[in-house]
Every structure is written in C-alpha cells, then in structure tokens.
Amino acid sequence: MNETNTPLQKHETGIAGLDHATQGGLPAGQATLILGQAAAGKTVLGLQVLARAIERGEGGVFVTFEESPGQVKRDALSFDWGASLLESNRWQLIDARPRLGVEVAGEFDIEGLLSIVAAAIAQTDASWVVFDGIDQLLQYQPNPRVAIDQIRQINEHCEDRGWTMLLTGKATGDSMAPAHLEGIEFLLSATLVLSARIVNQQLNRTLRIAKFRGSGHVTSELPMVIDAEGIQLPYHEALPSGGVLTRNERLSTGIERLDSLLGGGIYRGSSLLISGRPGTAKSTLAGSFAQAAAQRGERTLYVSFDELEGSYVRNLISVGIDLRAPIEAGLIYFLSLSAFASQVSEHFLALRRALDAFSPDCLVIDPISALLKAGAVEGANMATERLIDLARRRGITTVLTSLSGVQDPEGEATQGQVSTLADSWIVLDYNVRAGERNRSLSIVKSRGTAHSNQQRELVLSPSGVTLADVYEHGTEVLMGTARKARKIEEQEEEHRRERKRQQRRTEIEQRLAQVDQERQRLTSELEQEIVDSTETDYQEGVYREQIKQQRAPLGESSALHGDDDAHNDKGDPQ
Amino acid sequence: MSFPHQAGESSMPLLTLFVTGTAPRSQRARVNLAQMLNRIGRSDIQPYEIDLLEQPGQGITHSVFATPSLVKANETGEVSVLYGDLSDEERLSHFLADLARSG
C-alpha cells in the first residue's frame, strides 16, 4: 500500500465518547488491539461496536475464541441494545474456541480462520470484525514468533480486504500485549487499554488510548462506565460548542436583598456556588432560587444527593419555600440520587441524561460535594468541572451547594475546583455569640459584578428568607440577639447622649441667664457707683469749699486733711 | 447467526485433515501424516481432506480454525484434534497410537 497517498481513515465506533476521544473512530481497514484484564469490558466493547454498526445499517462478524456463544449472547442481552443485536441477521457469531483437549504437533496457519471469516463477512456485508480473545488460539503456537507473525498477517489481511477489526487480548500485568503475543502492540496502529480497578471498595473503570498512530487522541485514562447502555465515556462525549450567547440577563435568587447585593441577581447561564457548614441554609437558598425560576415559568432540574424528595420539600416549606406546586406543575424535576450507590462517572452520566431528557433552564445540585463520597473520588472534581461546563454550554443557570468542613467554612480543601470554576460564590456560615447561632452570608466572588463585600445576617422565617444588615461594632460584626441588643443599647446610648446634650445646653443657657443677671446686677452696680462717686465728689467739693472758706483768713493749713499722702509733698509744717 | 451444522461429527471419517490449499505447513502435514500412517502399518487409511479455502463452512461445522489440523473420530463419535504440521513425530504417533497395527 502506498501509505503516503492514503490518509488515515477512521471508522466510527458508535460509542460517542470513544469517537470523540479518538477524533472520529478507530483506524478503518486495520486491526485495533483492545487490551484488558478479565471483566474489563473487552467483549462488551466489541459487542457494542457491532450493535451500533448494525443500527447504522452496517454488518459485522464476532469471532469468539474464549467465551461460549451462549455466554456472548447473555453478555449482549444485559444491555438495552442486546436484544435487537441478537435479532439482527446482519451479523454472525462464530464459535472459534479451540476444542477441549486439543494437542499440538507443529506450527499451524490461520488462513483457514481468515477464510471462514471472509465467508461470513461476505454473507453479512460486514464492516466490523471482532476477534475476541485470539490469544486463546494462538497460545497453541509452539513458536511465539509465529503467533506474532500471524497477528501481522491478520492486520495485513484487514488492510487488503478493508476490514476494520477489534482484536481483544488479555493484559498480563503492565504488559502492553497478551501473553504469548509480546510485541504485537508495535505491529498495530491503535491500542486501547481497558482497566477495572478497585478503589475504595468501588470498581473504577477506565479506558486509555495507549496508541493511535497518525491521529490525535486523548492520552489520559478516561473514566468509563458500563451500565444498561453499555460502555460510556461520560466526560468525553462531544459537547455543544459555541452557540450560547453570553447574556446579560440577571436571574433572581428569590431573595430580594441578595439580588441587590449581587447587582440584580446572577447572570443567566452562569454558575453559583453556595458553600457552608451543615445547617447554614444552603438548601434554603438553593430552593429559593428554584422557586423563583418556577415563578418566572422556567424549568429546573433539582438534584438532591442523599435526601428524598418528600422530606426535602417539606423542610423547605418551613422556611416559606414551596417546591411542591412547581414540581406538580412540571416546572421542577426533582431527582434524588444516592451518592454512595454509584461512581462519580455514573452520577455524571445520570445527570447528563437528566439534562438531555428534561432540558431545563436552571440546574440545582444540592450538594455537589456529595460526589466526594461516591466511588472513584478522584473523579469528583472532573465531574463537577464537566458538569459546570456542560451546563454553561447549554445556557443553563446552575446553583451548586457544597458542604464544607466545620473547621473550614470556606472549605477550599473540599471545594476542589468548584469555587474556581463557579462564576459566583456565596459562603454561608454561622456566628456563635451570646449563646446563639446566627446565619451569615457573604459573597466571596461574583464575576462581572460589583458586589457587596459586607457580611449579612441570613434570617429564616416561615414567611421566607431575608437578609439583615449586620451590626458593626468596632471590628466585630454582631448578629441575632446580640445585634438587636446592641441596637437597643445604641439607641439608649443615643438617647442618653441627647439628654446630656440637652442638659448641657440648658445648663449653658442657665449659666448664660445667670451671667446676664450678673451683668445686669453689675451694670446697675456700676451705675450706682457712678452716681455714688459723683455724689461723693460733689460732697467733697462742697466740703473743701467750706474748709477753704473757713481757712482762708488763717492761711493755708492741711492739718484737717485726712488724706495725707496727697498733700505731704506740699510740705508739712511738722 | 451461525452456520447451520451441515454434518454431525458422528458421521465423520476416521481421519480428516484440514488444510488451506498448498500452504507449506499444509503440504508438510500431508507428507508427515502419510509417513506416519505408513510407519504404523496403516497406509490403508486414506485421510479425508477438507480445504478451508474452498469450504470455509466446514471449519465452523467441525470447529477447526487452525490449519493444518488432524481430526480423528472413533467409532463412538468421540473426536480428538491435533493442531500443526505434524512435524512433532512423537505427538503424532501418540495421537494415532490406537490405530496402530501391532506386529
């Protein structure tokens, strides 16, 4: 073959996640090695690829070298595509198990096998061929080198005939090839490795594209789920790209004052994380948001982890939030999931299917942190990230709650990536003071919004949820009774001050009046003084005159003058 | 989905050699088998030959996917299979031991 003129053609597998991760499917007209330990999903993968091919109108041949045909059929029937696969005549199941007790007396060829398969392909017009467990046949080859050559022969046969083949084999340890077939991974252009490991008592499935010559592909281990629909790579299905306009519309949280703190609510299509310790009213806020959405006539997918619909709805009624009516009206679809029951990737899959089925305007997950309890914990952050991404791409406004540790209300450690990914982040907490707990709310971040940095008190009552301004007292923030008490104290203080001021004013006025009186008194005293002194002067003048007149004939004498200093210098005769 | 059984195993000839055309290993098997039958004094047995290139359905019917393969059916219908070009004389003679004419 002239490979430079033959660009790599891909054959879609019909497994959306795998087609996405491989950018279009597996190499067409070639064999792809599927490696995995027992029960890793190799046979399922092969059957599912055939089932999907048959749905598209193609055909297939499944050659089983290990499981009995009955077992293969039972495998297929455990999936929802199994029955239609078994009914179809567009495929053939060939039982190529080596006979029991087979002996070997020399090397053998596989042309016979290929001839049998070619005949089956001709009958079914097959495009896909699955060789499930060919190592079971080739292990009888006395010389491993011959077995490896025969894999090459199979691959060349595929190229010549245009067959697209899945060649499964049992992985042994870390080896990239089945036992007896070391090195075949180098011969084939693509290798998928399936694994099923137990992590925290839970089965953790992954698929890895170990090799894909000439094609871009996702190289990391992809979390894999096997459920009724078969193999799924939940995080790797193509996401709707673009198309979602960034909207400036604000959606109410159902709490008027919170909306105003957020600059009018949260943006449509954005995500809000509400985190807090147990009992800080995370669910109340989430419920309030859903109720507000229902009042606008919008649809909300409401996912509750570990709490049943009945009790959840009832609990919210006690704070004036009614989800029952919108649930009955079909505006809220309540999905109750058990975190422990499944793996993170299975939860993700369930959520994605619910999003597909219900196509909501809003999504509430209470609490998203429950994913950390599910199996395959290391996938929780990825699941959350994908979920936020998925919702955003679909223009769904998302409210996630997250339970944080008692010691760590902002809980960076448990939040994982969520707080970074979410557009807005509200932290709820309680302050304990004066023998009571009071709920507080603060907005840690709100992208694209001037938001208040003030902590507020969250007040729950049967009539609903409100925010109260907290009382600042020096560097402290007071809430609840302390806030009320402090308020009353302050009012009294104010009164006291006012009274004091009044009193002082009165005092000053009184003093002023006193001073006025004094002034009047002094004025009149002054006047009296003037009158008095004028009189005295006059009397004195009169007296002097009299003396002068008496003395004049006898000459000058001051002997009778009482005021001696005024006259001494005049020369006292003594 | 699978080929219908065209022949029951009980109706099989005593020895059947599955081959693929003139492939070298098939050729060797023919020679090795003939020599061994001769050696054990059973050159009277004429092995029935099935060429899977021409009759692929026979491979499914008899569950033979490796060529060459020697299939032996005894009177009770019990079938045993020997894979390979029969170059391992010891294995081959052991496989055919019950057919050997003592003497």
Side-chain angles (χ1 to χ4, degrees):
Chain A
M1 281 184 82
N2 189 345
E3 296 195 0
T4 54
N5 291 339
T6 318
L8 178 70
Q9 301 281 317
K10 292 181 186 173
H11 200 148
E12 66 173 309
T13 63
I15 299 172
L18 184 56
D19 286 338
H20 189 241
T22 54
Q23 302 176 6
L26 295 173
Q30 294 184 55
T32 295
L33 181 63
I34 314 286
L35 277 176
Q37 277 152 357
K42 302 180 295 294
T43 303
V44 178
L45 182 70
L47 285 169
Q48 192 173 347
V49 167
L50 287 195
R52 296 297 179 223
I54 284 159
E55 283 170 15
R56 291 192 304 266
E58 301 172 21
V61 171
F62 192 101
V63 186
T64 175
F65 293 91
E66 187 168 15
E67 287 184 51
S68 72
Q71 185 58 48
V72 172
K73 288 176 190 173
R74 278 193 296 278
D75 282 354
L77 280 173
S78 62
F79 302 102
D80 53 14
W81 37 258
S84 58
L85 175 68
L86 294 192
E87 284 164 18
S88 170
N89 57 5
R90 301 189 64 88
W91 74 301
Q92 276 199 20
L93 174 59
I94 296 174
D95 177 7
R97 288 175 297 162
R99 279 175 182 269
L100 286 172
V102 70
E103 290 186 69
V104 183
E107 293 163 1
F108 56 87
D109 296 317
I110 54 161
E111 274 91 351
L113 170 69
L114 294 173
S115 170
I116 292 164
V117 171
I121 284 174
Q123 282 184 7
T124 56
D125 197 18
S127 54
W128 281 99
V129 183
V130 180
F131 274 13
D132 193 24
I134 194 168
D135 45 322
Q136 293 299 309
L137 174 65
L138 295 185
Q139 66 177 340
Y140 291 106
Q141 204 62 265
N143 180 356
R145 192 64 241 164
V146 174
I148 290 162
D149 280 348
Q150 284 170 345
I151 295 291
R152 185 204 299 270
Q153 188 189 348
I154 290 170
N155 191 43
E156 284 172 2
H157 204 79
C158 287
E159 290 188 10
D160 293 345
R161 307 288 187 98
W163 302 351
T164 305
M165 184 182 288
L166 298 179
L167 200 64
T168 76
K170 257 196 215 73
T172 45
D174 291 333
S175 169
M176 287 295 296
H180 315 290
L181 295 175
E182 274 86 6
I184 64 167
E185 68 271 26
F186 301 109
L187 299 174
L188 305 178
S189 44
T191 303
L192 306 183
V193 178
L194 305 182
S195 87
R197 286 184 296 261
I198 303 292
V199 178
N200 297 335
Q201 291 90 46
Q202 297 234 16
L203 188 65
N204 211 8
R205 295 185 184 279
T206 61
L207 180 151
R208 185 165 65 91
I209 304 166
K211 177 182 178 186
F212 200 157
R213 197 184 284 152
S215 169
H217 59 273
V218 180
T219 52
S220 47
E221 276 197 332
L222 315 178
M224 183 176 99
V225 171
I226 298 183
D227 64 5
E229 290 185 23
I231 287 177
Q232 317 273 322
L233 303 175
Y235 307 128
H236 291 274
E237 300 195 4
L239 291 164
S241 56
V244 175
L245 295 170
T246 312
R247 283 175 279 193
N248 289 327
E249 187 190 346
R250 300 270 191 175
L251 298 187
S252 172
T253 59
I255 301 166
E256 208 176 308
R257 291 213 55 192
L258 179 56
D259 290 344
S260 67
L261 293 182
L262 287 164
I266 58 173
Y267 282 118
R268 183 179 290 284
S270 75
S271 51
L272 167 66
L273 171 69
I274 302 168
S275 71
R277 295 188 268 175
T280 48
K282 297 180 295 295
S283 300
T284 307
L285 250 63
S288 169
F289 172 76
Q291 188 186 30
Q295 281 161 1
R296 292 190 303 270
E298 293 180 6
R299 293 147 62 81
T300 301
L301 173 63
Y302 208 113
V303 181
S304 161
F305 277 107
D306 302 329
E307 198 169 352
L308 297 177
E309 180 179 334
S311 56
Y312 195 99
V313 169
R314 183 199 60 216
N315 294 345
L316 285 182
I317 285 173
S318 68
V319 288
I321 294 168
D322 176 24
L323 298 184
R324 175 59 55 207
I327 287 172
E328 282 166 5
L331 287 170
I332 292 179
Y333 178 67
F334 200 98
L335 180 64
S336 188
L337 297 175
S338 174
F340 279 115
S342 312
Q343 292 177 44
V344 169
S345 42
E346 288 168 345
H347 284 312
F348 177 83
L349 203 56
L351 293 177
R352 212 194 52 211
R353 284 176 183 154
L355 286 176
D356 287 343
F358 190 61
S359 61
D361 303 291
C362 302
L363 168 67
V364 173
I365 301 177
D366 183 25
I368 189 81
S369 48
L371 287 180
L372 294 169
K373 288 193 291 184
V377 163
E378 72 274 21
N381 288 341
M382 178 156 60
T384 310
E385 196 176 328
R386 297 275 172 178
L387 208 56
I388 290 177
D389 189 40
L390 188 68
R392 189 177 285 147
R393 284 169 187 265
R394 296 185 183 194
I396 297 170
T397 314
T398 310
V399 171
L400 308 167
T401 72
S402 179
L403 184 67
S404 47
V406 172
Q407 298 303 320
D408 183 19
E410 298 193 358
E412 281 284 4
T414 54
Q415 270 8 293
Q417 285 285 91
V418 190
S419 55
T420 344
L421 291 165
D423 296 304
S424 308
W425 183 14
I426 290 177
V427 171
L428 301 178
D429 201 3
Y430 26 58
N431 294 25
V432 180
R433 172 180 283 274
E436 57 179 63
R437 265 172 209 281
N438 294 291
R439 296 186 173 88
S440 72
L441 177 152
S442 55
I443 300 168
V444 180
K445 77 166 180 181
S446 186
R447 279 185 194 141
T449 303
H451 55 90
S452 166
N453 66 352
Q454 271 275 351
Q455 205 179 32
R456 310 282 156 153
E457 182 176 354
L458 189 65
V459 184
L460 306 183
S461 75
S463 56
V465 184
T466 48
L467 292 183
D469 284 336
V470 292
Y471 210 85
E472 288 167 85
H473 176 62
T475 54
E476 278 185 299
V477 165
L478 300 181
M479 297 186 188
T481 308
R483 166 174 56 84
K484 286 179 197 152
R486 186 64 207 170
K487 214 164 182 173
I488 291 166
E489 273 173 34
E490 286 271 319
Q491 280 166 357
E492 284 172 354
E493 180 82 5
E494 187 73 12
H495 286 149
R496 227 179 355 258
R497 272 207 299 273
E498 186 57 32
R499 274 201 304 279
K500 256 186 179 166
R501 225 176 277 137
Q502 195 65 43
Q503 201 178 348
R504 191 163 162 73
R505 219 174 288 143
T506 315
E507 274 172 19
I508 291 169
E509 279 165 2
Q510 282 170 354
R511 276 179 62 197
L512 200 61
Q514 280 173 3
V515 169
D516 264 356
Q517 278 178 3
E518 181 72 4
R519 187 184 134 90
Q520 277 172 20
R521 193 182 61 81
L522 288 171
T523 308
S524 53
E525 211 176 279
L526 183 64
E527 280 166 5
Q528 193 59 44
E529 183 74 27
I530 292 166
V531 171
D532 283 359
S533 56
T534 311
E535 182 64 15
T536 308
D537 285 354
Y538 174 72
Q539 290 299 333
E540 236 172 56
V542 171
Y543 178 64
R544 273 195 194 130
E545 231 17 69
Q546 284 174 348
I547 291 195
K548 253 183 218 166
Q549 284 167 2
Q550 289 165 2
R551 206 188 270 178
L554 300 171
E556 282 184 14
S557 171
S558 60
L560 292 171
H561 202 285
D563 193 3
D564 50 4
D565 62 344
H567 302 285
N568 276 355
D569 59 338
K570 287 187 179 175
D572 199 314
Q574 288 177 335
Chain B
M1 284 163 313
S2 51
F3 287 104
H5 283 254
Q6 291 165 348
E9 288 175 347
S10 54
S11 63
M12 277 191 80
L14 183 58
L15 288 179
T16 309
L17 185 64
F18 288 81
V19 295
T20 40
T22 55
R25 288 188 183 109
S26 295
Q27 298 278 39
R28 281 206 291 277
R30 284 186 188 105
V31 173
N32 290 335
L33 179 58
Q35 285 176 354
M36 184 57 71
L37 286 173
N38 200 25
R39 193 188 304 173
I40 64 172
R42 291 306 303 263
S43 47
D44 58 308
I45 298 175
Q46 197 55 251
Y48 184 70
E49 200 168 282
I50 292 177
D51 187 342
L52 288 182
L53 296 182
E54 286 164 11
Q55 293 178 279
Q58 290 294 310
I60 293 176
T61 306
H62 300 291
S63 291
V64 172
F65 298 88
T67 49
S69 282
L70 180 60
V71 175
K72 183 183 72 175
N74 63 17
E75 294 78 15
T76 61
E78 196 186 325
V79 169
S80 29
V81 182
L82 187 64
Y83 285 172
D85 61 9
L86 311 180
S87 55
D88 186 332
E89 287 183 14
E90 201 185 321
R91 285 281 173 89
L92 179 59
S93 99
H94 186 255
F95 186 78
L96 298 175
D98 57 339
L99 301 178
R101 280 219 177 106
S102 50

